[in-house]
Amino acid sequence: MTQFAFFRGAFVPIAEARLSITSHVVNYGTGCFEGIRGYWNAEAEQLYVFRLREHYERLLRSAKILLIELPHDAAELSQITLELLRKEGFRGDVYIRPLAYKGSEGIGVRLHGLRDEFAVFALPFGQYLPFESGVKVGVSSWRRVSDNAIPARAKITGAYVNSALAKTEAHLNGFDEAIVLTESGHVAEGSAENLFLLRGGELVTPPVSEDILEGITRDTVIALARDELGLPVVERRIDRTELYAADEAFFCGTGVEIVPIGEIDRRPVGNRGIGPVTQRLIQLYGDVVRGRVSRYLSWCTPVYP
Ligand code: PY5
């Protein structure tokens, strides 16, 4: 349950954190956001927030693209978030949702001359895309928003209509999730997650210039694959049919964590189950985010003293 939000400069009961129907972000989607996870470590009786600073650094980059100016830097936003979590007193896994947006009320599409606001709330949260073996995925008929239309590298509220179109099309077609291609027909990412393939002992993922969100889990997976599994990781353009030729495939993101892909456009990936490399990354990621791997403890910010 959520009790509080940080809203217009103060901690308020969640019921008081409300926007008008006339506000700019409601009418035009002129905001950006983050999704951050906190993981409860029962042995340590500690709540660890994963890569908190990196999420706020990305929020500030998204905000810059949208000409949103906040009166706080990443360190201050992190402190506000930790204070919020302490006020909530969570003792379990949580999801944290910061938003930076055009809060002005009135009509007129633009980015300039509007009031910028910041808000953050958090809620208890479990698995986002439950799986037992690999999930079923379809390549979307929708294309990813392109950098010169709505930049995917910024996590823009309004751009998630693109994700919602793809996700619901996938659902209506009997799939669990979508893979979205760029305007030029190359693999970009899932509706709300980045994508990796294993091909010939190499992990491959689209580069940041392929209309993807520059995912923090993607960055984490690259580091863990290289440094812990000794796997080569290549960021390169990926053809659609490489999806069908892959030995393993998985999604990664804050919400989904690491999710194996069992089938793409009705073609089995590997043996449809969870491939050995994906399995090792799932295990390792689970330990790292809960603060169980000392080498990566600097990625885990403790909430409680
Ligand atoms: N790509 C898109 C389009 C995303 O929305 C997300 C994150 C990612 C990739 C993965 O980025 P990261 O690893 O930094 O989380 N999506 C949000 C999440 O919390 C939810 C959006 C509704 O996972």
Side-chain angles (χ1 to χ4, degrees), residues 59-111:
L59 184 74
L60 292 173
R61 289 197 298 275
S62 296
K64 185 176 182 182
I65 290 172
L66 291 182
L67 296 170
I68 292 172
E69 278 183 47
L70 298 183
H72 306 288
D73 61 17
E76 289 161 354
L77 293 168
S78 299
Q79 285 311 316
I80 289 168
T81 302
L82 294 172
E83 197 177 333
L84 174 77
L85 294 171
R86 283 192 288 269
K87 281 176 80 74
E88 294 278 11
F90 291 124
R91 292 173 63 86
D93 295 350
V94 297
Y95 188 78
I96 303 154
R97 171 52 52 82
L99 293 141
Y101 55 91
K102 299 290 178 186
S104 294
E105 297 174 8
I107 295 296
V109 189
R110 62 182 189 279
L111 293 176

Side-chain angles (χ1 to χ4, degrees), residues 11 75 121 147 160 167 201 220 233 250 296:
F11 292 100
F121 63 94
D147 196 52
Y160 277 74
K167 177 77 181 191
T220 303
V233 184
F250 61 86
Y296 297 102

